[in-house]
Amino acid sequence: GAHVSVRPGLRAGAVSRAAPVRRAVAMMGPPRGRGPPPPEHMINEFIKAYELRVVGEPEEADQPDVQLGVMSRGDALMRARELSVDLVCISPGAEPPVCKLIDYGRYRFQLDKKKKLVKKNSVQAELKEIKLSYTIDVHDFNVRIRAAQKFLSSGDKVKAVVQFKGREMQHTNIGANLLQRLAQDLAEFGSTDGPPKMSGNRMELYVSPKPKGK
């Protein structure tokens, strides 16, 4: 009987001694220094592949990376230490993975710079509104046409609006004819998303720019 009672006591003792250790480890948090980077930026010891295709930085920014060949993970890490740079995995899906000898901070800076450049070069299309009166004269109509052509050429969408007040609602057919004339004059620059439509006391027509190169 005594033998049976001792074993639970030992197990309980083992748990009670281990619990404070686990708590202490939990309180310590992650190890100091640079924690693991995001998976797409595996660097140095976080790279698990045994064989790597290694590239180095070119002398000029617009030149391709310098090919250093396939080498073991150990040799690549040693080369990085010799050059006082990081070993950054830039193509983890390649066979073998491609790693670059570069300072990780510098690599992140280069990536951010490329993203900003792409964002700057991508034209954000806007919706430009052009208002017309159903009694508009030829000169003002041509001014609106030129403005619409400019917007469409810049890749923006145009919303042409004819607004009717009070008794003017009797003349919606004039507004429709006006918008159809506008659509014809803009045919070279864009195409309508459909016929003119009423929205409250406004008649609207949407014209989308033609795709580039067409």
Side-chain angles (χ1 to χ4, degrees):
H3 178 68
V4 173
S5 64
V6 169
R7 291 186 68 187
L10 284 173
R11 283 203 297 274
V15 170
S16 64
R17 281 197 299 272
V21 173
R22 283 199 297 271
R23 280 199 299 272
V25 169
M27 287 170 68
M28 283 167 64
R32 290 184 180 183
R34 183 160 52 195
E40 66 267 27
H41 296 153
M42 285 294 180
I43 66 167
N44 302 331
E45 284 76 15
F46 295 110
I47 298 168
K48 301 301 178 192
Y50 294 110
E51 196 175 59
L52 309 166
R53 183 175 298 281
V54 182
V55 297
E57 279 198 274
E59 288 184 15
E60 300 292 333
D62 57 347
Q63 291 179 345
D65 290 331
V66 179
Q67 299 292 326
L68 300 174
V70 175
M71 59 182 78
S72 70
R73 175 177 173 272
D75 287 347
L77 285 168
M78 194 182 298
R79 182 75 70 93
R81 278 194 291 270
E82 285 170 0
L83 297 171
S84 299
V85 293
D86 295 300
L87 184 67
V88 182
C89 192
I90 59 173
S91 294
E95 201 53 60
V98 180
C99 294
K100 189 170 184 174
L101 296 168
I102 185 173
D103 176 77
Y104 184 57
R106 178 174 161 77
Y107 177 69
R108 291 291 297 270
F109 172 75
Q110 287 179 356
L111 281 186
D112 289 343
K113 197 174 173 184
K114 279 182 186 174
K115 282 179 188 172
K116 284 175 185 171
L117 193 65
V118 168
K119 193 175 178 183
K120 185 181 174 185
N121 291 340
S122 64
V123 178
Q124 296 295 317
E126 292 181 30
L127 181 63
K128 303 287 189 180
E129 187 172 296
I130 289 176
K131 292 181 179 176
L132 307 96
S133 161
Y134 82 98
T135 57
I136 194 168
D137 62 35
V138 175
H139 174 264
D140 287 346
F141 181 77
N142 288 336
V143 169
R144 303 293 192 285
I145 289 291
R146 283 196 294 273
Q149 288 173 346
K150 186 179 176 184
F151 293 143
L152 292 167
S153 297
S154 301
D156 294 324
K157 191 171 181 175
V158 170
K159 175 184 178 181
V161 177
V162 178
Q163 192 157 338
F164 302 95
K165 297 174 187 174
R167 291 185 180 180
E168 292 176 357
M169 289 292 285
Q170 300 168 33
H171 305 294
T172 53
N173 62 318
I174 298 175
N177 290 337
L178 187 68
L179 290 176
Q180 282 165 354
R181 256 181 63 206
L182 179 129
Q184 287 168 7
D185 289 349
L186 296 177
E188 197 180 321
F189 298 85
S191 55
T192 60
D193 294 5
K197 288 181 182 176
M198 288 299 295
S199 176
N201 65 337
R202 293 154 58 100
M203 184 172 280
E204 300 173 348
L205 177 76
Y206 290 88
V207 185
S208 295
K210 282 193 173 179
K212 296 283 183 186
K214 291 188 179 180

